[in-house]
Amino acid sequence: MNDMRVPVLVEHAPSPSAPASVARRPPPPSAAGPRIAAVRCALPPHRYAQHELTGPIGDLCLSPGADRALLHRVHASAGVRTRHLALPIERYARLGDFGRSNGAWLETGLELGEEALSGALREAGLTPADVDLLVFASITGVSAPSLDARLAGRMGLRPDVKRLPLFGLGCVAGAAGLARVHDHLRGHPEDTAVLLTVELCSLTLQRGDASRANLVAGALFGDGAAALVARGGNTDGVNTDDGGSGSGTVASASGPRVVATRSHLYPGTEGLLGWEIGAAGFRVVIDAGVPDIVRGHLGRHLRAFLAEHELTVDDIGTWICHPGGPRILSAVSETLGLSEDALDRSRRSLAAVGNMSSVSVLHILEDVRVRRAPEPGTWGLLLAMGPGFCSELVLLRW
């Protein structure tokens, strides 16, 4: 990754026997799509202003007496004002190895995951026993049994709950996880599904690593968890009391419906973003060429996706874009020709809590719901990018 070269993309042509116009035709809207009933985020209590973290992170990453000019420039230009960390900043120097960092991920992740999930279920008027599918995503720690399995017994989910732990998707997992929830609920329209994301990015910071990628990660990423509750199209207005397992309340019908989703891998870009995993844990890979890939390719695929639903970029009234960083947001805005304020929610989230990887798009979606829900009929697009290099698009309608 040191040469920061942008790979040449080789797009695979569609098979002549299955033209894209036929293979990608959306299903007829014969049934109502899944509806998002609730979103709730949970943040660690250790909150710091960006300038309070610059010195301690420099102490962790740089050798004594090293030039800190690059560190200060990166922190000043990250677009971050405050962040929440899994641990008090003074504890990071004592973590020592990957085992201790991963142990902290599991302990804090369980607490934040339970807070987010219980809050989202309360908001939706449901109980843990109402959950039929639990999708769990994280890329900042590992465990077996996975964190979702540990939460199931701790919170009282049914023993027959379906679970889908996801690893390796990184920042795109909030959007991809919602897309997989949509897939399940289209086939099981009477179910309730939950997406839970837990990302404690600060625990992956590599001590003694003065690389630009590590310094960028130390300036940009924050910690948090989020849970999203979605209900199948046959559940609108249905009382959840089924003889004791449900809460007896009616699920919220104010959230947006998930209309359609689209995944896209960009061939030849596998080395742009992700982890190099070694004895010290997760060493971040962030190539400087990522914004160029976004500029060169995201717009074409996104416009084609919208066109299949007879929509254009101008028809989207609410944008929920993963805040990968100021350069990523600028690249998205430029390639789509968006208005100056279209991605303001993403920039506010980045400033308030940093880039929380898969949690971030759900944090922005929660902000949309809390501040002022869009008018009925408004189209929205939730999008994120991540390791692969890949993008995930989720079309919403309020």
Side-chain angles (χ1 to χ4, degrees):
M1 295 307 132
N2 292 334
D3 55 5
M4 296 296 189
R5 291 175 295 178
V6 181
V8 176
L9 288 182
V10 179
E11 297 285 1
H12 300 298
S15 168
S17 61
S21 60
V22 174
R24 294 299 190 183
R25 190 178 301 279
S30 56
R35 187 182 293 279
I36 297 173
V39 186
R40 185 64 62 91
C41 289
L43 302 172
H46 314 294
R47 180 174 180 266
Y48 296 91
Q50 179 81 324
H51 67 84
E52 295 177 296
L53 295 175
T54 304
I57 288 177
D59 295 339
L60 288 171
C61 300
L62 303 177
S63 58
D67 184 2
R68 297 198 172 195
L70 175 60
L71 172 78
H72 285 279
R73 287 199 304 272
V74 169
H75 274 246
S77 63
V80 178
R81 290 198 305 268
T82 57
R83 282 182 284 167
H84 296 252
L85 303 187
L87 305 174
I89 186 60
E90 62 271 13
R91 283 189 55 187
Y92 286 82
R94 303 198 299 269
L95 286 174
D97 59 24
F98 176 54
R100 290 183 180 178
S101 297
N102 199 66
W105 170 85
L106 182 58
E107 179 181 356
T108 303
L110 283 169
E111 295 173 358
L112 291 177
E114 182 174 9
E115 181 183 344
L117 180 52
S118 60
L121 289 171
R122 281 196 305 271
E123 182 184 335
L126 301 171
T127 73
D130 294 314
V131 178
D132 300 295
L133 171 71
L134 175 58
V135 178
F136 169 67
S138 181
I139 200 175
T140 52
V142 292
S143 69
S146 53
L147 190 148
D148 54 292
R150 298 168 191 255
L151 279 176
R154 179 167 166 162
M155 294 188 60
L157 275 70
R158 300 196 316 268
D160 67 344
V161 66
K162 298 179 180 71
R163 296 184 300 109
L164 182 60
L166 303 175
F167 180 84
L169 290 170
C171 295
V172 81
L178 177 55
R180 302 295 77 79
V181 163
H182 165 267
D183 294 343
H184 174 85
L185 292 178
R186 285 299 299 244
H188 301 81
E190 297 178 354
D191 277 8
T192 294
V194 170
L195 168 63
L196 174 65
T197 64
V198 175
E199 301 290 10
L200 305 181
C201 307
S202 65
L203 295 173
T204 69
L205 189 69
Q206 294 295 294
R207 289 166 288 283
D209 180 358
S211 67
R212 184 182 181 89
N214 195 53
L215 295 182
V216 169
L220 191 61
F221 288 99
D223 298 341
L228 177 149
V229 178
R231 309 206 71 204
N234 290 354
T235 64
D236 281 357
V238 175
N239 190 292
T240 59
D241 189 357
D242 58 359
S245 66
S247 63
T249 60
V250 177
S252 169
S254 62
R257 290 197 185 278
V258 181
V259 178
T261 71
R262 175 61 49 79
S263 306
H264 197 91
L265 276 168
Y266 299 85
T269 64
E270 295 87 351
L272 285 182
L273 193 64
W275 297 122
E276 292 175 353
I277 302 176
F282 300 125
R283 184 175 186 270
V284 71
V285 174
I286 306 176
D287 195 285
V290 170
D292 293 329
I293 296 296
V294 173
R295 287 188 182 90
H297 300 277
L298 176 67
R300 175 161 49 92
H301 296 294
L302 187 150
R303 289 186 175 92
F305 172 59
L306 292 179
E308 292 173 7
H309 300 274
E310 300 182 352
L311 298 171
T312 69
V313 168
D314 292 337
D315 292 314
I316 304 301
T318 298
W319 292 89
I320 301 167
C321 177
H322 173 70
R327 293 182 64 214
I328 296 295
L329 291 175
S330 294
V332 172
S333 183
E334 290 169 16
T335 193
L336 298 179
L338 298 180
S339 64
E340 188 173 337
D341 60 351
L343 301 183
D344 277 356
R345 293 183 181 90
S346 298
R347 293 187 177 91
R348 283 202 304 267
S349 177
L350 181 64
V353 294
N355 177 344
M356 296 189 293
S357 191
S358 64
V359 176
S360 283
V361 288
L362 303 185
H363 182 259
I364 298 166
L365 184 57
E366 182 187 41
D367 179 71
V368 171
R369 290 170 61 85
V370 169
R371 286 178 179 265
R372 183 180 178 182
E375 294 294 325
T378 300
W379 290 98
L381 194 67
L382 184 148
L383 68 148
M385 293 144 284
F389 184 75
C390 66
S391 61
E392 196 83 28
L393 310 175
V394 180
L395 183 63
L396 305 173
R397 193 169 198 187
W398 272 263

